[in-house]
């Protein structure tokens, strides 16, 4: 039951953080492109890579804390469904090119961010 609580609490925190970052991006960059969803997915990929690396290579994160951070916080923070919906809306209402740009930036940006998160975590933990 303890794990369920921390995953749920982390999910709520991640969801609120996603909403805050998305609204900030929309205010800062406008609503013409899904910058908020892109930002949360890239940042979330970086953080999940870092969390996974720390959990796999050290004893700094208990199994419960790892689940709370990865499944809870990062699960609530990142969002595939918003990415999917916004990409389809770009393709349907703007252009195929805008939709494809969003797909490419999200895919490669998230993969790169995940690797960078692992590398940064590895270097920080090794210090």
């Amino acid at each position: 039951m303890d794990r369920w609580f921390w995953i749920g609490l982390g999910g709520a925190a991640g969801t609120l953080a996603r909403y805050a970052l998305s609204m900030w991006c929309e205010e800062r960059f406008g609503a013409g492109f899904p910058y908020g969803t892109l930002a949360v997915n890239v940042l979330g990929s970086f953080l999940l890579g870092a969390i996974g690396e720390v959990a796999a290579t050290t004893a700094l994160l208990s199994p419960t804390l790892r689940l709370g951070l990865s499944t809870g916080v990062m699960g609530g923070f990142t969002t595939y469904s918003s990415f999917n919906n916004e990409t389809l809306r770009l393709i349907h209402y703007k252009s195929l090119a805008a939709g494809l740009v969003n797909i490419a930036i999200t895919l490669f940006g998230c993969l790169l961010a995940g690797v960078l998160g692992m590398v940064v975590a590895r270097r920080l933990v090794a210090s």
Side-chain angles (χ1 to χ4, degrees), residues 12-103:
T15 299
L16 292 171
R18 176 181 72 226
Y19 181 74
L21 181 55
S22 292
M23 291 300 96
W24 181 84
C25 286
E26 187 173 316
E27 289 171 9
R28 178 96 166 108
F29 304 112
F33 189 83
Y35 295 107
T37 301
L38 178 61
V40 299
N41 285 333
V42 171
L43 178 59
S45 294
F46 174 85
L47 293 172
L48 191 55
I51 291 165
E53 183 65 22
V54 170
T57 59
T58 73
L60 292 173
L61 300 178
S62 70
T64 300
L65 181 56
R66 181 190 55 78
L67 278 172
L69 291 173
S70 60
T71 303
V73 177
M74 292 298 98
F77 186 66
T78 60
T79 175
Y80 179 80
S81 57
S82 292
F83 160 73
N84 185 62
N85 182 54
E86 291 165 349
T87 301
L88 292 174
R89 289 179 57 85
L90 282 173
I91 291 169
H92 188 266
Y93 295 110
K94 285 206 170 204
S95 71
L96 176 62
L100 292 176
V101 164
N102 191 42
I103 291 168

